[in-house]
Amino acid sequence: MPAHRPRGAQRLHGTLPAARVAARATSPQAGGSGSATAGSGCVHSRRSIQVVAFRGERVAGRISSGDIEALRERADLASVIGDYTGLKRAGTRYKGLCPLHEERTPSFTVDPARGLWHCFGCGEGGDAYKFLEKVEALTFPEAVERLARLTGYELTYEDMSPGQRKALGRRTRLTDLVGEAARFFHQHLFTDDGSAARTYLKQRGLDREAAEHFQLGWAPDRWDGLVRHLTNAGFGQAELVDAGVATRGQRGLLDRFRGRLIFPIFDASGRDVLGFGGRVLPDRPPTTAPRDGEPPKYINSPESEIYVKSKVLYGLNWARAEAQRRDTVLVVEGYMDVIALHRADVRNAVATCGTALTAEHFRQLEKFARRVVLALDADDAGFAAADRARALAEEAGVREVAVLPLPPGEDPADLAASGAERVEEALADVRTAIEFQITHLLRTANTSTPEGQVEAYRRTFPLLARIGDRVLRYRYIRDIVAPVVKLSADRIEAELDAADQEPSSSTAVEVAAAPRPSEPRDPQLRLERQVLQLALQRPDLLPPSWSKVGEHDFTSPASRQLFVALAAAPSGGLDDVLEALPDEDTRRRVRALALADLPTSDSAHAAQVIDALRRAAIDREMAEVRARMDTQREQLSTDERRSLAARIEELRRRRDAIRDGHEGG
């Protein structure tokens, strides 16, 4: 440890056990933190590195160069690498199988004296930091902090302002608190009080080694066991509530998690626990549960300064390296699904934490894998989930979304319990999201008559229209659609093209065809464009139902922005609309839209596109409600499920009323 600490430096202490609970999630500031090497020693050349301390929020603190060099010299390279592959001594060096690629003959060499490693098979090599970067898919700052944790070295963080130190200090306190709660739960799993939880885990095929690896825990069935423990450890009541481990009751603080199996939710690096998921044991409801109805099967930590559900994925800390190696990540629904799949050697599986997938989740995954595979039921809910996921993935820049269709009545944990062979069979059935959706539409259609076959292939048009590559689109038509409906692929493609060029009927408004070059590829965005073009150019054609259109009916931020400007313009004239827009680039695009040719200019067509826009918004909301019922079905109370079912029925009536022209004023 360096004898000199620069003025203003701050020591940050972790709280979790050192056993594979790795380094804090960090990433370099732009410019000046990339990994540089010098000569054959592969030594990172940098004076200091900028880090991100919590939840991806930048903090202007640096790890000093003295710490980086001292830690490199202190680390036992053979011990670090030995956790990932077996090493055998060969003179002053060690040899083994390379953990970075598949091989049968050892070509991996470690030289502890020089602090270097090299694989003669794949050509990779470097120091301890480079090894952790490669094997764990870490950035350089993450590798430094991971190595510091493994060796018990305290890093020095420099150049923080007083405000940054205060904010970091508060987040550090909350992270330390949640980490202490994780230890409390984990320790109680192995006491007499946790025997029922251990029995349940054993029934699910999980032994002590698995419980240790995933740091599972048990929340005692007491009102304030954790509250007392954390208070005695020096944490304040407000901190317990802010960290999401306690709630305020009439007689004081109560443990949020009581009588539940605990799943700690780590940050992406695996260093810090951010929150928890808690599951009641079958046939053993907590004695401290509310008396009005059965407790939900799962509860999760509420959002906090350190835990944001839309950004966190359960198991990413364990899955990131394998996801990067396979260039694929598998997204499932539950904590037990992730654990079961990892135990079945599918170590690239993650899950959302009691919430639907978000664009931010996809952005997190895109850092590690080009392909995201969703485990979905092959039903209407799965179709809606795939549709929503594709839109979110496109927004986040994920290049490929695929689906693992689940057998009826089974979840990924059931597959894993059936054995590795069954899992491999299921993974072999992974298909692209569009293929999954087209197959579902065709499977649920009546293709026993010519009329049914025609209706079936036309149902696939909105999906086919989203495929910009005409060759790829033709492959879907030829290989999937045409064999089912017993028509030639050329005939179906010709009708798809014709439908796009003649959008004069109500069917053509809703059937998405291949877009014209000047139009968006997405049929929803084309519909929004038509509506806004009408509002700009021919407001006299807008039907009375235009007054019921709202900002929520548009999915594109640009469309919503223009709609708000239209609503805010005093006269509704183009000049007023342009003045309400934020910048010249937006005004330029709106001027072009206002001057583009209208496909048709009659009131009937205007009414059709307005109604289609509103029905599409209702369909999206119905899909979201169904997805919530499906993804959170185990967590919802009976009343919540009834309320959601009632909401779906209400939306269906509204949609049908718009379609049939029976909508009230």
Side-chain angles (χ1 to χ4, degrees):
M1 185 178 302
H4 173 67
R5 297 182 188 176
R7 180 177 300 176
Q10 179 169 335
R11 293 286 184 183
L12 300 184
H13 301 267
T15 60
L16 293 177
R20 303 290 73 80
V21 183
R24 185 190 314 269
T26 59
S27 65
Q29 290 273 17
S33 59
S35 178
T37 59
S40 62
C42 297
V43 176
H44 293 269
S45 58
R46 53 172 55 73
R47 295 174 58 190
S48 59
I49 55 173
Q50 204 84 4
V51 299
V52 175
F54 292 92
R55 297 191 302 133
E57 297 182 20
R58 292 200 179 277
V59 175
R62 279 196 274 258
I63 302 174
S64 71
S65 58
D67 276 9
I68 295 172
E69 297 305 321
L71 176 58
R72 190 200 323 272
E73 294 173 4
R74 175 173 173 171
D76 182 345
L77 182 61
S79 176
V80 171
I81 294 177
D83 285 335
Y84 297 89
T85 187
L87 297 176
K88 292 184 178 180
R89 183 179 288 277
T92 60
R93 300 179 179 179
Y94 292 86
K95 291 188 176 181
L97 296 175
C98 179
L100 303 179
H101 76 285
E102 299 292 336
E103 65 175 7
R104 295 184 179 181
T105 303
S107 60
F108 188 85
T109 300
V110 179
D111 187 341
R114 298 177 62 195
L116 298 175
W117 61 274
H118 183 80
C119 176
F120 293 92
C122 65
E124 295 287 355
D127 59 7
Y129 298 138
K130 177 61 71 175
F131 178 79
L132 291 173
E133 287 181 66
K134 289 292 182 181
V135 78
E136 292 283 5
L138 303 176
T139 63
F140 180 76
E142 287 178 313
V144 174
E145 292 195 319
R146 174 70 58 90
L147 190 59
R149 173 53 64 90
L150 295 178
T151 59
Y153 189 94
E154 295 181 13
L155 294 172
T156 304
Y157 291 76
E158 307 170 352
D159 300 336
M160 289 186 182
S161 70
Q164 289 165 341
R165 278 196 293 273
K166 182 177 180 181
L168 180 56
R170 172 171 169 77
R171 290 192 292 268
T172 300
R173 286 282 294 178
L174 294 181
T175 305
D176 287 351
L177 186 157
V178 175
E180 182 61 34
R183 279 200 299 280
F184 174 87
F185 292 140
H186 186 60
Q187 291 166 359
H188 273 272
L189 178 62
F190 302 106
T191 64
D192 291 342
D193 189 40
S195 61
R198 295 197 303 275
T199 299
Y200 169 75
L201 291 175
K202 185 176 181 180
Q203 293 169 349
R204 299 296 298 264
L206 302 180
D207 55 15
R208 178 158 187 154
E209 180 185 358
E212 293 282 3
H213 178 76
F214 295 101
Q215 291 288 292
L216 303 180
W218 170 251
D221 194 4
R222 300 198 295 269
W223 290 106
D224 59 354
L226 178 62
V227 166
R228 289 176 180 271
H229 175 80
L230 293 176
T231 302
N232 291 336
F235 294 101
Q237 292 193 0
E239 290 178 317
L240 269 64
V241 174
D242 291 345
V245 299
T247 59
R248 297 190 185 277
Q250 293 181 348
R251 298 184 179 180
L253 290 191
L254 303 175
D255 290 355
R256 178 178 179 83
F257 299 95
R258 305 185 300 273
R260 291 175 178 270
L261 179 66
I262 296 297
F263 302 86
I265 301 166
F266 289 84
D267 66 6
S269 77
R271 171 175 177 174
D272 294 324
V273 177
L274 306 178
F276 303 99
R279 186 199 196 285
V280 295
L281 300 180
D283 304 319
R284 194 179 184 276
T287 61
T288 54
R291 297 184 179 181
D292 52 342
E294 291 189 6
K297 183 177 179 180
Y298 281 94
I299 62 172
N300 295 283
S301 293
E303 295 214 344
S304 68
E305 290 183 45
I306 62 172
Y307 179 52
V308 180
K309 294 180 182 180
S310 64
K311 297 182 179 180
V312 177
L313 288 156
Y314 179 74
L316 183 56
N317 53 304
W318 298 298
R320 55 189 287 176
E322 185 72 1
Q324 187 173 64
R325 189 180 73 84
R326 296 190 182 193
D327 205 16
T328 299
V329 62
L330 173 62
V331 182
V332 296
E333 181 179 333
Y335 307 124
M336 288 299 296
D337 293 331
V338 170
I339 293 173
L341 286 168
H342 278 246
R343 298 279 288 175
D345 210 30
V346 184
R347 299 191 305 275
N348 59 335
V350 301
T352 56
C353 301
T355 186
L357 272 170
T358 66
E360 186 58 38
H361 285 140
F362 277 104
R363 291 188 186 97
Q364 293 286 332
L365 296 173
E366 195 270 337
K367 298 174 185 176
F368 307 108
R370 176 184 60 85
R371 188 181 191 220
V372 176
V373 179
L374 310 176
L376 297 175
D377 293 327
D379 56 13
D380 288 343
F383 178 92
D387 204 54
R388 183 172 183 272
R390 287 175 55 228
L392 294 171
E394 184 176 344
E395 179 184 339
V398 171
R399 285 159 285 184
E400 183 179 341
V401 179
V403 173
L404 168 63
L406 294 173
E410 291 193 6
D411 57 29
D414 296 326
L415 285 176
S418 301
E421 184 177 347
R422 180 85 187 284
V423 174
E424 289 303 321
E425 288 177 1
L427 291 174
D429 195 33
V430 168
R431 58 193 69 174
T432 67
I434 287 184
E435 181 183 359
F436 169 79
Q437 291 182 283
I438 291 175
T439 301
H440 173 74
L441 289 177
L442 295 174
R443 187 181 65 250
T444 56
N446 177 12
T447 57
S448 61
T449 65
E451 291 81 2
Q453 292 166 1
V454 170
E455 181 183 356
Y457 77 73
R458 287 176 178 167
R459 290 176 68 187
T460 68
F461 280 11
L463 295 172
L464 293 168
R466 298 183 190 180
I467 304 173
D469 186 327
R470 289 186 63 89
V471 174
L472 180 61
R473 188 184 76 174
Y474 184 81
R475 290 285 302 274
Y476 278 109
I477 295 172
R478 183 194 68 189
D479 298 342
I480 302 174
V481 180
V484 174
V485 299
K486 300 179 178 62
L487 285 173
S488 75
D490 292 344
R491 174 70 185 85
I492 296 172
E493 184 182 46
E495 183 174 339
L496 182 58
D497 288 338
D500 176 56
Q501 295 170 7
E502 299 293 336
S504 57
S505 68
S506 59
T507 301
V509 171
E510 298 186 66
V511 172
R516 286 180 286 272
S518 61
E519 292 186 330
R521 294 189 182 280
D522 189 289
Q524 172 65 28
L525 298 185
R526 294 209 306 279
L527 179 59
E528 293 175 16
R529 174 190 170 103
Q530 289 183 57
V531 169
L532 293 170
Q533 192 176 5
L534 275 167
L536 279 169
Q537 297 189 27
R538 295 296 307 272
D540 57 304
L541 296 178
L542 295 174
S545 58
W546 171 248
S547 64
K548 298 181 180 181
V549 173
E551 184 178 348
H552 65 278
D553 292 320
F554 298 87
T555 61
S556 162
S559 297
R560 288 195 295 269
Q561 186 179 61
L562 177 51
F563 176 80
V564 170
L566 279 163
S571 67
L574 180 59
D575 290 340
D576 287 335
V577 172
L578 293 174
E579 190 168 336
L581 296 172
D583 54 65
E584 182 55 36
D585 184 63
T586 305
R587 286 189 282 271
R588 177 183 56 77
R589 285 186 281 109
V590 171
R591 277 195 293 267
L593 185 62
L595 295 174
D597 291 336
L598 277 172
T600 60
S601 57
D602 60 80
S603 57
H605 173 75
Q608 289 169 3
V609 295
I610 298 300
D611 288 351
L613 179 77
R614 297 177 62 207
R615 291 199 305 275
I618 292 173
D619 286 339
R620 288 195 302 275
E621 186 175 349
M622 289 175 66
E624 290 173 0
V625 175
R626 287 196 184 101
R628 183 185 173 195
M629 291 180 69
D630 183 63
T631 59
Q632 302 181 25
R633 58 181 178 271
E634 299 293 348
Q635 305 169 38
L636 296 172
S637 67
T638 301
D639 287 342
E640 287 173 326
R641 287 194 292 271
R642 287 173 180 166
S643 176
L644 292 174
R647 179 60 177 164
I648 290 176
E649 185 58 30
E650 177 190 356
L651 291 169
R652 184 181 293 111
R653 285 196 297 268
R654 283 176 49 195
R655 183 192 60 189
D656 293 346
I658 294 173
R659 180 197 63 199
D660 299 332
H662 297 152
E663 188 181 25

